Amino acid sequence: MSEKPTPDNQTILLIDAFLQGTISDQQQAELERLLASDSEQRQLYIDYMQVHNGLTTWTNETTEPADWVPQPVSQAHPSRLRSPRFLLMLVSSLVAATLLLSLAYYAGWNTRADSSSAIAESSIDQPADETSQPQTDHIALLTQAVGVEWDTNRNLQAGAGLSAGWLKLKQGTIQVELISGASILIEGPAAVKLISPLKAFCQFGKVRASVPEQAHGFTMETSRLNVVDLGTEFTLSLDQSGSGQVQVIDGKVELHSTDSQSTPANVQSLTTGEGVQFNQRGTIDRLQEAILPLINPEELSQLVEQQQTQQFERWQKQNALLKADPSIIAYYDFEESSNWLRTLNNKSQQKPASSSHGAIVGCQWTSGRWPQKRSLEFKRTSDRVRTHIPGEYQSLTFMAWVRIEGFDRWLSSLMLTDGYNDGNPHWQLSDKGEMILGVKTGPGKNYFSPVVLQPTDLGRWIFLVTVYDHQKQEVVHYLDGVAVSHHEIENPIPLVIGPAEIGNWRPQEHSGAHSIRSLNGRLDEFALFGRALSADEILQLYQTGKPNS
Protein backbone atom coordinates (compact mmCIF):
# COMPACT_ATOMS: atom_id res chain seq x y z
CA MET A 1 0.00 0.00 0.00
CA SER A 2 1.45 3.34 -1.09
CA GLU A 3 2.00 6.11 1.40
CA LYS A 4 0.09 9.36 1.13
CA PRO A 5 2.33 12.12 -0.29
CA THR A 6 3.48 14.78 2.14
CA PRO A 7 2.15 18.31 1.49
CA ASP A 8 5.46 19.36 -0.09
CA ASN A 9 5.65 16.28 -2.32
CA GLN A 10 2.00 16.68 -3.30
CA THR A 11 2.59 20.28 -4.32
CA ILE A 12 5.66 19.29 -6.34
CA LEU A 13 3.73 16.56 -8.16
CA LEU A 14 0.99 19.05 -9.04
CA ILE A 15 3.53 21.61 -10.23
CA ASP A 16 5.22 18.92 -12.36
CA ALA A 17 1.89 18.12 -13.99
CA PHE A 18 1.24 21.83 -14.55
CA LEU A 19 4.62 22.36 -16.23
CA GLN A 20 4.20 19.27 -18.43
CA GLY A 21 0.72 20.38 -19.50
CA THR A 22 -0.90 17.20 -18.16
CA ILE A 23 -2.64 18.68 -15.14
CA SER A 24 -6.37 17.85 -14.88
CA ASP A 25 -9.06 20.28 -13.82
CA GLN A 26 -9.30 18.51 -10.45
CA GLN A 27 -5.52 18.69 -9.91
CA GLN A 28 -5.42 22.36 -10.89
CA ALA A 29 -8.18 23.15 -8.41
CA GLU A 30 -6.25 21.27 -5.70
CA LEU A 31 -3.04 23.20 -6.56
CA GLU A 32 -4.89 26.50 -6.36
CA ARG A 33 -6.39 25.49 -3.00
CA LEU A 34 -2.95 24.59 -1.57
CA LEU A 35 -1.43 27.86 -2.73
CA ALA A 36 -4.31 29.95 -1.43
CA SER A 37 -4.36 28.34 2.03
CA ASP A 38 -0.68 27.76 2.87
CA SER A 39 2.07 30.43 2.69
CA GLU A 40 4.80 27.74 2.87
CA GLN A 41 3.35 26.02 -0.20
CA ARG A 42 3.23 29.37 -2.03
CA GLN A 43 6.92 29.90 -1.25
CA LEU A 44 7.67 26.36 -2.45
CA TYR A 45 5.85 27.12 -5.70
CA ILE A 46 7.83 30.36 -6.19
CA ASP A 47 11.15 28.63 -5.48
CA TYR A 48 10.33 25.73 -7.77
CA MET A 49 9.34 28.02 -10.65
CA GLN A 50 12.51 30.11 -10.25
CA VAL A 51 14.62 26.95 -10.41
CA HIS A 52 12.66 25.71 -13.43
CA ASN A 53 13.10 29.00 -15.29
CA GLY A 54 16.81 29.14 -14.45
CA LEU A 55 17.34 25.55 -15.58
CA THR A 56 15.42 26.17 -18.80
CA THR A 57 17.61 29.18 -19.58
CA TRP A 58 20.76 27.23 -18.72
CA THR A 59 19.67 24.29 -20.92
CA ASN A 60 18.91 26.57 -23.87
CA GLU A 61 22.30 28.26 -23.56
CA THR A 62 24.33 25.06 -23.28
CA THR A 63 22.50 22.51 -25.45
CA GLU A 64 24.51 23.56 -28.50
CA PRO A 65 27.73 25.16 -27.23
CA ALA A 66 29.10 27.87 -29.49
CA ASP A 67 32.53 27.15 -30.93
CA TRP A 68 33.74 30.62 -29.89
CA VAL A 69 33.41 29.52 -26.24
CA PRO A 70 36.34 27.20 -25.34
CA GLN A 71 35.17 23.72 -24.35
CA PRO A 72 37.95 21.91 -22.45
CA VAL A 73 35.98 18.67 -22.06
CA SER A 74 33.72 16.77 -24.43
CA GLN A 75 30.00 17.29 -24.08
CA ALA A 76 28.10 14.61 -22.18
CA HIS A 77 25.49 12.55 -24.03
CA PRO A 78 21.88 13.60 -23.35
CA SER A 79 20.34 11.80 -20.39
CA ARG A 80 17.24 9.68 -20.78
CA LEU A 81 16.01 10.97 -17.46
CA ARG A 82 13.97 13.97 -18.49
CA SER A 83 11.10 14.10 -15.99
CA PRO A 84 10.56 17.38 -14.08
CA ARG A 85 10.98 15.41 -10.86
CA PHE A 86 14.44 14.33 -12.00
CA LEU A 87 15.16 17.89 -13.08
CA LEU A 88 14.38 19.12 -9.57
CA MET A 89 16.72 16.51 -8.11
CA LEU A 90 19.36 17.53 -10.63
CA VAL A 91 18.94 21.18 -9.75
CA SER A 92 19.24 20.41 -6.05
CA SER A 93 22.48 18.55 -6.75
CA LEU A 94 23.74 21.40 -8.90
CA VAL A 95 22.97 23.93 -6.19
CA ALA A 96 24.77 21.84 -3.57
CA ALA A 97 27.73 21.30 -5.87
CA THR A 98 27.83 25.00 -6.69
CA LEU A 99 27.93 25.90 -3.00
CA LEU A 100 30.75 23.44 -2.39
CA LEU A 101 32.69 24.68 -5.40
CA SER A 102 32.16 28.28 -4.32
CA LEU A 103 33.54 27.50 -0.88
CA ALA A 104 36.47 25.67 -2.43
CA TYR A 105 37.10 28.52 -4.84
CA TYR A 106 37.11 31.23 -2.19
CA ALA A 107 39.19 29.10 0.13
CA GLY A 108 41.76 28.61 -2.58
CA TRP A 109 42.73 28.80 -6.20
CA ASN A 110 41.66 25.31 -7.24
CA THR A 111 41.24 21.86 -5.78
CA ARG A 112 42.91 19.78 -8.44
CA ALA A 113 44.91 16.91 -7.05
CA ASP A 114 47.82 17.58 -9.37
CA SER A 115 48.18 21.24 -8.44
CA SER A 116 51.73 21.87 -7.29
CA SER A 117 52.76 24.45 -4.75
CA ALA A 118 54.74 27.39 -6.08
CA ILE A 119 56.61 27.71 -2.79
CA ALA A 120 56.46 24.51 -0.84
CA GLU A 121 59.39 22.18 -1.46
CA SER A 122 60.26 19.04 0.42
CA SER A 123 63.61 19.21 2.13
CA ILE A 124 65.73 16.13 1.53
CA ASP A 125 66.44 15.80 5.23
CA GLN A 126 63.12 17.13 6.45
CA PRO A 127 60.64 14.79 8.13
CA ALA A 128 57.47 14.19 6.16
CA ASP A 129 55.27 16.04 8.65
CA GLU A 130 57.33 19.20 8.14
CA THR A 131 56.91 19.15 4.37
CA SER A 132 54.56 21.97 3.48
CA GLN A 133 51.53 21.18 1.37
CA PRO A 134 50.20 23.44 -1.41
CA GLN A 135 48.43 26.35 0.23
CA THR A 136 46.31 29.11 -1.23
CA ASP A 137 45.82 31.60 1.59
CA HIS A 138 48.50 34.25 1.41
CA ILE A 139 50.08 35.07 4.76
CA ALA A 140 52.95 37.17 3.41
CA LEU A 141 54.27 39.15 0.46
CA LEU A 142 57.65 38.93 -1.23
CA THR A 143 58.57 42.62 -1.45
CA GLN A 144 62.22 42.57 -2.54
CA ALA A 145 64.61 40.07 -4.14
CA VAL A 146 68.24 40.73 -5.05
CA GLY A 147 70.63 38.31 -6.73
CA VAL A 148 68.38 35.41 -5.86
CA GLU A 149 68.83 31.85 -7.07
CA TRP A 150 65.94 29.80 -5.76
CA ASP A 151 66.24 26.22 -4.63
CA THR A 152 62.65 25.51 -5.70
CA ASN A 153 60.78 24.53 -8.86
CA ARG A 154 59.50 28.08 -9.42
CA ASN A 155 61.34 31.39 -9.42
CA LEU A 156 59.35 33.82 -7.28
CA GLN A 157 59.52 37.54 -7.98
CA ALA A 158 58.93 40.65 -5.92
CA GLY A 159 55.21 41.22 -5.59
CA ALA A 160 54.30 37.54 -5.26
CA GLY A 161 51.91 36.52 -2.51
CA LEU A 162 53.27 33.82 -0.23
CA SER A 163 51.35 30.98 1.38
CA ALA A 164 52.48 28.87 4.31
CA GLY A 165 55.43 26.82 3.12
CA TRP A 166 59.15 26.79 2.44
CA LEU A 167 61.31 29.59 1.05
CA LYS A 168 64.61 28.10 -0.09
CA LEU A 169 67.46 30.18 -1.48
CA LYS A 170 70.75 28.98 -2.92
CA GLN A 171 71.97 32.57 -2.85
CA GLY A 172 70.77 36.18 -2.73
CA THR A 173 68.63 38.22 -0.33
CA ILE A 174 64.87 38.61 -0.07
CA GLN A 175 62.50 40.71 2.03
CA VAL A 176 59.24 39.14 3.21
CA GLU A 177 56.43 41.11 4.84
CA LEU A 178 53.94 39.03 6.80
CA ILE A 179 50.35 40.19 7.13
CA SER A 180 50.87 40.54 10.89
CA GLY A 181 53.22 43.46 10.15
CA ALA A 182 56.46 41.59 10.86
CA SER A 183 59.16 41.93 8.21
CA ILE A 184 62.07 39.54 7.71
CA LEU A 185 65.16 39.71 5.54
CA ILE A 186 66.52 36.32 4.50
CA GLU A 187 70.04 35.89 3.15
CA GLY A 188 70.92 32.73 1.26
CA PRO A 189 71.81 30.00 1.33
CA ALA A 190 68.77 29.58 3.53
CA ALA A 191 65.67 27.50 4.17
CA VAL A 192 62.87 29.25 6.06
CA LYS A 193 59.36 27.93 6.44
CA LEU A 194 56.46 30.36 6.84
CA ILE A 195 54.01 28.82 9.31
CA SER A 196 51.61 31.64 10.17
CA PRO A 197 51.56 35.46 10.20
CA LEU A 198 53.27 35.30 13.61
CA LYS A 199 55.53 32.29 13.22
CA ALA A 200 58.30 30.96 10.98
CA PHE A 201 60.86 28.16 11.19
CA CYS A 202 64.51 28.57 10.15
CA GLN A 203 66.27 25.36 9.17
CA PHE A 204 69.45 27.26 8.22
CA GLY A 205 70.50 30.66 6.88
CA LYS A 206 70.64 34.26 8.02
CA VAL A 207 67.52 36.15 9.08
CA ARG A 208 66.92 39.71 10.23
CA ALA A 209 63.46 40.30 11.71
CA SER A 210 61.83 43.68 12.30
CA VAL A 211 58.75 43.40 14.48
CA PRO A 212 56.41 46.36 15.16
CA GLU A 213 54.08 46.49 18.12
CA GLN A 214 51.23 45.08 16.00
CA ALA A 215 53.20 41.84 15.56
CA HIS A 216 54.27 41.53 19.22
CA GLY A 217 55.17 37.92 19.95
CA PHE A 218 56.42 37.03 16.49
CA THR A 219 58.41 33.81 16.84
CA MET A 220 61.30 32.47 14.78
CA GLU A 221 61.67 28.79 15.58
CA THR A 222 64.78 26.63 15.13
CA SER A 223 65.53 23.03 15.94
CA ARG A 224 67.45 24.14 19.10
CA LEU A 225 65.57 27.17 20.44
CA ASN A 226 62.74 29.58 19.64
CA VAL A 227 63.24 33.34 19.46
CA VAL A 228 60.17 35.29 20.60
CA ASP A 229 60.35 38.99 19.71
CA LEU A 230 58.94 41.49 22.18
CA GLY A 231 60.07 44.43 19.95
CA THR A 232 61.70 45.48 17.78
CA GLU A 233 64.57 43.89 15.81
CA PHE A 234 66.91 40.89 16.00
CA THR A 235 69.18 38.76 13.81
CA LEU A 236 69.56 35.00 13.60
CA SER A 237 72.41 33.14 11.93
CA LEU A 238 72.10 29.37 11.70
CA ASP A 239 74.28 26.79 9.95
CA GLN A 240 73.04 23.46 8.62
CA SER A 241 74.29 21.58 11.70
CA GLY A 242 71.93 23.53 13.96
CA SER A 243 74.54 25.81 15.54
CA GLY A 244 73.97 29.54 15.42
CA GLN A 245 73.82 32.98 16.97
CA VAL A 246 71.07 35.38 18.02
CA GLN A 247 71.61 39.10 18.60
CA VAL A 248 69.17 41.85 19.53
CA ILE A 249 69.67 44.99 17.47
CA ASP A 250 66.98 46.96 19.27
CA GLY A 251 64.37 46.05 21.88
CA LYS A 252 63.95 42.72 23.63
CA VAL A 253 63.56 39.03 22.78
CA GLU A 254 63.01 35.86 24.75
CA LEU A 255 64.76 32.58 24.02
CA HIS A 256 62.48 29.62 24.67
CA SER A 257 63.39 25.98 24.83
CA THR A 258 61.91 23.86 22.06
CA ASP A 259 60.60 21.60 24.82
CA SER A 260 56.81 21.97 24.85
CA GLN A 261 56.95 21.84 28.65
CA SER A 262 59.17 24.94 28.86
CA THR A 263 59.13 26.77 32.19
CA PRO A 264 60.36 30.22 33.29
CA ALA A 265 63.56 28.48 34.30
CA ASN A 266 64.50 27.78 30.67
CA VAL A 267 63.36 31.11 29.21
CA GLN A 268 66.16 33.61 28.70
CA SER A 269 65.75 37.33 27.95
CA LEU A 270 68.02 39.43 25.73
CA THR A 271 67.94 43.22 25.28
CA THR A 272 69.55 45.69 22.88
CA GLY A 273 73.13 44.72 22.00
CA GLU A 274 73.01 41.38 23.77
CA GLY A 275 73.38 38.05 22.05
CA VAL A 276 74.01 34.34 22.46
CA GLN A 277 75.58 31.53 20.53
CA PHE A 278 74.32 27.96 20.67
CA ASN A 279 75.31 24.61 19.25
CA GLN A 280 73.57 21.46 18.09
CA ARG A 281 73.85 19.95 21.56
CA GLY A 282 71.73 22.78 23.00
CA THR A 283 74.52 24.59 24.85
CA ILE A 284 73.88 28.36 25.03
CA ASP A 285 76.62 30.89 25.80
CA ARG A 286 76.60 34.70 25.93
CA LEU A 287 78.36 36.47 23.07
CA GLN A 288 81.46 38.22 24.36
CA GLU A 289 81.59 40.54 21.33
CA ALA A 290 78.72 41.92 19.34
CA ILE A 291 78.42 40.40 15.87
CA LEU A 292 77.83 42.58 12.85
CA PRO A 293 74.12 42.69 11.95
CA LEU A 294 72.96 41.45 8.57
CA ILE A 295 72.06 43.75 5.71
CA ASN A 296 69.40 46.30 6.64
CA PRO A 297 66.38 47.36 4.55
CA GLU A 298 68.02 50.60 3.37
CA GLU A 299 71.04 48.73 2.04
CA LEU A 300 68.77 46.18 0.41
CA SER A 301 66.82 48.96 -1.35
CA GLN A 302 70.06 50.37 -2.76
CA LEU A 303 71.03 46.94 -4.08
CA VAL A 304 67.55 46.56 -5.61
CA GLU A 305 67.91 49.87 -7.46
CA GLN A 306 71.31 48.88 -8.82
CA GLN A 307 69.97 45.52 -9.94
CA GLN A 308 66.93 47.07 -11.63
CA THR A 309 69.13 49.47 -13.58
CA GLN A 310 71.33 46.61 -14.78
CA GLN A 311 68.33 44.50 -15.75
CA PHE A 312 66.67 47.34 -17.67
CA GLU A 313 69.87 48.04 -19.60
CA ARG A 314 70.13 44.34 -20.46
CA TRP A 315 66.52 44.36 -21.71
CA GLN A 316 67.18 47.46 -23.85
CA LYS A 317 69.84 45.55 -25.79
CA GLN A 318 67.38 42.74 -26.43
CA ASN A 319 64.73 45.31 -27.34
CA ALA A 320 66.95 46.62 -30.18
CA LEU A 321 67.44 43.09 -31.52
CA LEU A 322 63.71 42.36 -31.51
CA LYS A 323 62.92 45.54 -33.42
CA ALA A 324 65.29 44.40 -36.18
CA ASP A 325 64.07 40.77 -36.26
CA PRO A 326 62.85 40.15 -39.85
CA SER A 327 60.26 37.60 -38.64
CA ILE A 328 58.50 39.93 -36.22
CA ILE A 329 55.04 41.01 -37.39
CA ALA A 330 54.08 43.26 -34.50
CA TYR A 331 56.24 44.37 -31.60
CA TYR A 332 54.81 46.56 -28.86
CA ASP A 333 57.43 47.48 -26.28
CA PHE A 334 55.16 50.02 -24.51
CA GLU A 335 58.02 52.55 -24.46
CA GLU A 336 56.02 55.57 -25.63
CA SER A 337 57.33 59.04 -24.89
CA SER A 338 54.30 60.55 -23.15
CA ASN A 339 51.38 59.59 -20.95
CA TRP A 340 49.16 61.62 -23.24
CA LEU A 341 49.84 59.47 -26.30
CA ARG A 342 46.98 57.10 -27.07
CA THR A 343 48.81 55.14 -29.75
CA LEU A 344 50.79 51.99 -29.00
CA ASN A 345 53.33 51.92 -31.81
CA ASN A 346 54.39 48.76 -33.57
CA LYS A 347 58.17 49.10 -33.20
CA SER A 348 59.07 46.48 -35.82
CA GLN A 349 61.58 47.88 -38.32
CA GLN A 350 60.07 45.76 -41.12
CA LYS A 351 57.86 48.63 -42.36
CA PRO A 352 54.70 47.51 -40.57
CA ALA A 353 51.26 48.46 -41.83
CA SER A 354 49.98 51.63 -40.19
CA SER A 355 46.89 49.69 -39.06
CA SER A 356 49.11 47.52 -36.85
CA HIS A 357 49.76 50.45 -34.52
CA GLY A 358 47.50 49.97 -31.51
CA ALA A 359 44.77 52.41 -30.46
CA ILE A 360 44.72 52.67 -26.65
CA VAL A 361 41.21 52.76 -25.21
CA GLY A 362 40.79 53.50 -21.51
CA CYS A 363 44.07 51.94 -20.30
CA GLN A 364 46.33 54.08 -18.13
CA TRP A 365 50.11 54.29 -18.25
CA THR A 366 52.00 52.95 -15.25
CA SER A 367 55.31 51.30 -14.35
CA GLY A 368 56.39 47.96 -15.80
CA ARG A 369 58.86 45.26 -14.77
CA TRP A 370 61.27 47.95 -13.56
CA PRO A 371 60.68 51.57 -12.46
CA GLN A 372 62.25 52.75 -15.73
CA LYS A 373 59.95 50.53 -17.83
CA ARG A 374 56.48 51.63 -18.94
CA SER A 375 53.35 49.50 -19.11
CA LEU A 376 49.61 49.79 -19.66
CA GLU A 377 47.16 48.90 -16.92
CA PHE A 378 43.93 47.11 -17.82
CA LYS A 379 41.33 47.49 -15.05
CA ARG A 380 37.90 48.28 -16.44
CA THR A 381 35.85 46.20 -18.86
CA SER A 382 36.28 49.00 -21.40
CA ASP A 383 40.11 49.00 -21.29
CA ARG A 384 41.74 47.60 -24.42
CA VAL A 385 44.18 48.14 -27.27
CA ARG A 386 42.66 47.99 -30.77
CA THR A 387 44.86 46.83 -33.63
CA HIS A 388 44.75 45.28 -37.09
CA ILE A 389 47.28 42.69 -38.26
CA PRO A 390 47.04 41.96 -42.01
CA GLY A 391 48.18 38.79 -43.76
CA GLU A 392 48.10 35.00 -43.48
CA TYR A 393 50.66 33.03 -41.48
CA GLN A 394 51.51 29.34 -41.58
CA SER A 395 53.06 29.59 -38.11
CA LEU A 396 52.80 32.17 -35.33
CA THR A 397 54.42 32.80 -31.97
CA PHE A 398 52.51 34.86 -29.40
CA MET A 399 54.65 36.48 -26.66
CA ALA A 400 53.71 38.70 -23.72
CA TRP A 401 55.07 39.95 -20.42
CA VAL A 402 52.01 40.35 -18.22
CA ARG A 403 51.21 40.93 -14.56
CA ILE A 404 47.87 39.41 -13.60
CA GLU A 405 46.14 41.11 -10.66
CA GLY A 406 43.15 38.77 -10.59
CA PHE A 407 40.75 36.73 -12.68
CA ASP A 408 37.45 38.60 -12.74
CA ARG A 409 35.73 36.19 -15.09
CA TRP A 410 36.15 32.78 -16.68
CA LEU A 411 38.23 34.01 -19.64
CA SER A 412 40.76 36.86 -19.77
CA SER A 413 42.00 38.08 -23.13
CA LEU A 414 45.63 38.33 -24.14
CA MET A 415 44.83 38.80 -27.83
CA LEU A 416 41.57 37.93 -29.58
CA THR A 417 40.42 38.55 -33.12
CA ASP A 418 37.15 40.45 -33.38
CA GLY A 419 35.45 37.57 -35.12
CA TYR A 420 35.92 33.83 -34.99
CA ASN A 421 36.18 32.81 -38.62
CA ASP A 422 38.40 30.22 -40.29
CA GLY A 423 42.01 30.70 -39.18
CA ASN A 424 41.23 33.25 -36.46
CA PRO A 425 43.25 32.70 -33.25
CA HIS A 426 42.07 33.49 -29.72
CA TRP A 427 44.86 33.68 -27.11
CA GLN A 428 43.59 33.92 -23.54
CA LEU A 429 43.70 32.66 -19.95
CA SER A 430 41.11 30.84 -17.88
CA ASP A 431 40.28 31.68 -14.28
CA LYS A 432 41.73 28.30 -13.28
CA GLY A 433 45.16 29.40 -14.51
CA GLU A 434 45.16 27.63 -17.88
CA MET A 435 46.65 29.05 -21.07
CA ILE A 436 44.35 28.68 -24.07
CA LEU A 437 44.87 29.04 -27.81
CA GLY A 438 41.68 28.71 -29.79
CA VAL A 439 41.84 28.38 -33.58
CA LYS A 440 38.78 28.39 -35.80
CA THR A 441 39.03 25.25 -37.94
CA GLY A 442 35.52 24.15 -38.85
CA PRO A 443 33.90 23.70 -35.43
CA GLY A 444 36.87 25.37 -33.73
CA LYS A 445 39.70 23.85 -31.72
CA ASN A 446 40.98 24.97 -28.31
CA TYR A 447 44.36 23.97 -26.94
CA PHE A 448 44.30 24.10 -23.13
CA SER A 449 47.44 23.92 -21.06
CA PRO A 450 47.25 22.33 -17.61
CA VAL A 451 46.68 24.68 -14.67
CA VAL A 452 50.01 26.52 -14.65
CA LEU A 453 49.22 29.81 -12.89
CA GLN A 454 48.92 29.63 -9.12
CA PRO A 455 47.86 32.23 -6.52
CA THR A 456 51.54 33.12 -6.02
CA ASP A 457 51.63 34.26 -9.66
CA LEU A 458 49.14 37.06 -9.04
CA GLY A 459 50.91 40.39 -8.80
CA ARG A 460 54.17 39.21 -10.36
CA TRP A 461 55.46 39.60 -13.90
CA ILE A 462 55.14 36.37 -15.90
CA PHE A 463 56.36 35.51 -19.38
CA LEU A 464 53.75 33.80 -21.58
CA VAL A 465 54.46 32.32 -25.00
CA THR A 466 52.32 30.13 -27.24
CA VAL A 467 53.68 28.68 -30.49
CA TYR A 468 51.49 27.52 -33.39
CA ASP A 469 53.92 25.45 -35.45
CA HIS A 470 52.52 24.46 -38.84
CA GLN A 471 55.58 22.44 -39.85
CA LYS A 472 55.69 20.30 -36.69
CA GLN A 473 51.90 20.34 -36.49
CA GLU A 474 51.86 21.22 -32.81
CA VAL A 475 50.88 23.95 -30.36
CA VAL A 476 53.23 24.54 -27.43
CA HIS A 477 52.48 26.67 -24.37
CA TYR A 478 55.37 28.20 -22.39
CA LEU A 479 55.45 29.81 -18.94
CA ASP A 480 58.60 31.67 -17.87
CA GLY A 481 60.64 30.14 -20.68
CA VAL A 482 59.64 26.53 -19.98
CA ALA A 483 57.27 24.44 -22.12
CA VAL A 484 54.26 23.39 -20.03
CA SER A 485 52.23 21.50 -22.64
CA HIS A 486 52.37 20.17 -26.22
CA HIS A 487 49.31 19.61 -28.41
CA GLU A 488 48.99 17.97 -31.81
CA ILE A 489 47.41 20.04 -34.61
CA GLU A 490 45.16 17.66 -36.53
CA ASN A 491 44.26 20.02 -39.36
CA PRO A 492 46.80 22.88 -39.58
CA ILE A 493 45.54 25.90 -41.50
CA PRO A 494 46.99 29.39 -42.09
CA LEU A 495 46.24 31.83 -39.27
CA VAL A 496 44.53 35.14 -40.01
CA ILE A 497 44.29 37.92 -37.41
CA GLY A 498 42.91 41.08 -39.01
CA PRO A 499 41.03 43.37 -36.58
CA ALA A 500 41.82 42.32 -33.02
CA GLU A 501 42.18 43.46 -29.44
CA ILE A 502 44.89 43.11 -26.82
CA GLY A 503 43.58 42.70 -23.27
CA ASN A 504 39.91 42.58 -24.22
CA TRP A 505 37.40 41.45 -26.82
CA ARG A 506 34.78 43.14 -28.93
CA PRO A 507 32.95 40.25 -30.59
CA GLN A 508 31.37 40.99 -33.95
CA GLU A 509 28.67 38.37 -33.86
CA HIS A 510 28.54 36.90 -30.38
CA SER A 511 27.02 37.92 -27.08
CA GLY A 512 26.38 36.35 -23.71
CA ALA A 513 28.17 35.76 -20.43
CA HIS A 514 31.50 34.80 -22.03
CA SER A 515 31.69 37.67 -24.50
CA ILE A 516 33.26 39.89 -21.80
CA ARG A 517 36.91 38.85 -21.49
CA SER A 518 38.68 41.92 -20.16
CA LEU A 519 42.11 41.49 -18.61
CA ASN A 520 42.78 42.59 -15.04
CA GLY A 521 46.46 43.42 -14.91
CA ARG A 522 49.35 45.04 -16.76
CA LEU A 523 51.19 44.46 -20.03
CA ASP A 524 54.62 45.92 -20.77
CA GLU A 525 55.73 43.90 -23.83
CA PHE A 526 53.81 42.07 -26.55
CA ALA A 527 55.05 40.49 -29.78
CA LEU A 528 53.85 38.42 -32.70
CA PHE A 529 56.39 36.45 -34.72
CA GLY A 530 55.53 35.08 -38.16
CA ARG A 531 57.35 31.84 -37.38
CA ALA A 532 57.62 29.22 -34.68
CA LEU A 533 60.27 30.26 -32.16
CA SER A 534 62.43 27.44 -30.81
CA ALA A 535 62.52 26.46 -27.15
CA ASP A 536 66.06 27.86 -26.86
CA GLU A 537 64.99 31.22 -28.31
CA ILE A 538 62.07 31.46 -25.90
CA LEU A 539 64.24 30.61 -22.91
CA GLN A 540 66.76 33.26 -23.98
CA LEU A 541 64.01 35.89 -24.25
CA TYR A 542 62.89 35.00 -20.73
CA GLN A 543 66.38 35.03 -19.23
CA THR A 544 67.13 38.43 -20.74
CA GLY A 545 63.80 40.01 -19.87
CA LYS A 546 63.00 38.60 -16.43
CA PRO A 547 62.94 41.00 -13.46
CA ASN A 548 64.57 40.35 -10.09
CA SER A 549 67.31 38.16 -11.49
Side-chain angles (χ1 to χ4, degrees), residues 51-52 54-55 86-98:
V51 169
H52 171 77
L55 183 63
F86 171 73
L87 290 179
L88 182 62
M89 295 172 64
L90 172 62
V91 171
S92 300
S93 299
L94 287 173
V95 170
T98 301

Side-chain angles (χ1 to χ4, degrees), residues 107-321:
W109 187 264
N110 61 69
T111 55
R112 298 194 182 195
D114 59 352
S115 298
S116 60
S117 171
I119 303 173
E121 284 280 311
S122 298
S123 172
I124 295 177
D125 300 320
Q126 200 68 19
D129 60 349
E130 291 186 1
T131 302
S132 84
Q133 298 298 317
Q135 301 290 328
T136 53
D137 293 331
H138 294 170
I139 63 171
L141 185 70
L142 179 62
T143 52
Q144 303 285 5
V146 177
V148 174
E149 182 181 355
W150 293 96
D151 191 13
T152 63
N153 63 346
R154 177 73 68 81
N155 290 326
L156 298 172
Q157 299 172 6
L162 303 176
S163 305
W166 285 99
L167 296 171
K168 296 184 178 180
L169 289 74
K170 292 182 179 179
Q171 63 180 23
T173 304
I174 62 173
Q175 182 181 45
V176 174
E177 294 181 357
L178 292 104
I179 61 174
S180 62
S183 175
I184 55 177
L185 299 180
I186 304 172
E187 184 178 320
V192 175
K193 182 180 181 181
L194 302 180
I195 299 174
S196 75
L198 285 172
K199 185 181 294 186
F201 174 86
C202 180
Q203 187 177 20
F204 64 88
K206 297 177 181 179
V207 175
R208 178 171 180 149
S210 178
V211 183
E213 183 178 347
Q214 294 86 345
H216 183 91
F218 172 79
T219 301
M220 180 64 66
E221 297 183 341
T222 75
S223 60
R224 304 305 170 200
L225 55 80
N226 299 331
V227 185
V228 180
D229 191 286
L230 306 179
T232 55
E233 198 165 9
F234 69 90
T235 63
L236 168 68
S237 180
L238 191 65
D239 63 28
Q240 297 197 38
S241 72
S243 299
Q245 299 173 327
V246 175
Q247 182 177 355
V248 180
I249 298 174
D250 184 27
K252 181 180 180 179
V253 304
E254 287 182 348
L255 306 180
H256 290 236
S257 167
T258 55
D259 183 355
S260 60
Q261 303 299 321
S262 62
T263 64
N266 52 20
V267 173
Q268 185 174 346
S269 297
L270 299 176
T271 57
T272 301
E274 295 181 332
V276 298
Q277 57 187 15
F278 55 93
N279 58 31
Q280 53 189 331
R281 296 185 300 275
T283 303
I284 300 177
D285 297 308
R286 289 272 180 171
L287 285 175
Q288 300 302 314
E289 295 182 3
I291 59 176
L292 292 176
L294 305 180
I295 185 173
N296 61 44
E298 291 78 13
E299 294 169 334
L300 180 62
S301 295
Q302 293 174 2
L303 290 177
V304 168
E305 291 177 4
Q306 294 174 8
Q307 177 179 267
Q308 290 173 340
T309 299
Q310 294 170 355
Q311 292 168 349
F312 183 64
E313 291 174 350
R314 182 184 62 191
W315 173 82
Q316 286 179 312
K317 294 178 181 178
Q318 176 182 268
N319 173 254
L321 293 176

Side-chain angles (χ1 to χ4, degrees), residues 304-370:
V304 168
E305 291 177 4
Q306 294 174 8
Q307 177 179 267
Q308 290 173 340
T309 299
Q310 294 170 355
Q311 292 168 349
F312 183 64
E313 291 174 350
R314 182 184 62 191
W315 173 82
Q316 286 179 312
K317 294 178 181 178
Q318 176 182 268
N319 173 254
L321 293 176
L322 286 178
K323 290 177 180 178
D325 188 326
S327 71
I328 206 158
I329 301 165
Y331 179 48
Y332 307 106
D333 64 5
F334 294 75
E335 290 298 285
E336 308 304 336
S337 59
S338 170
N339 288 342
W340 297 103
L341 292 179
R342 305 308 290 169
T343 298
L344 187 64
N345 288 296
N346 180 357
K347 301 292 180 64
S348 169
Q349 296 175 357
Q350 311 307 313
K351 297 182 179 180
S354 59
S355 64
S356 66
H357 298 307
I360 301 170
V361 181
C363 306
Q364 299 300 311
W365 288 104
T366 185
S367 59
R369 275 167 279 169
W370 310 281

Side-chain angles (χ1 to χ4, degrees), residues 453-469:
L453 299 179
Q454 302 293 334
T456 49
D457 293 312
L458 294 179
R460 80 171 184 93
W461 286 98
I462 56 177
F463 185 57
L464 302 179
V465 176
T466 295
V467 176
Y468 183 92
D469 191 330

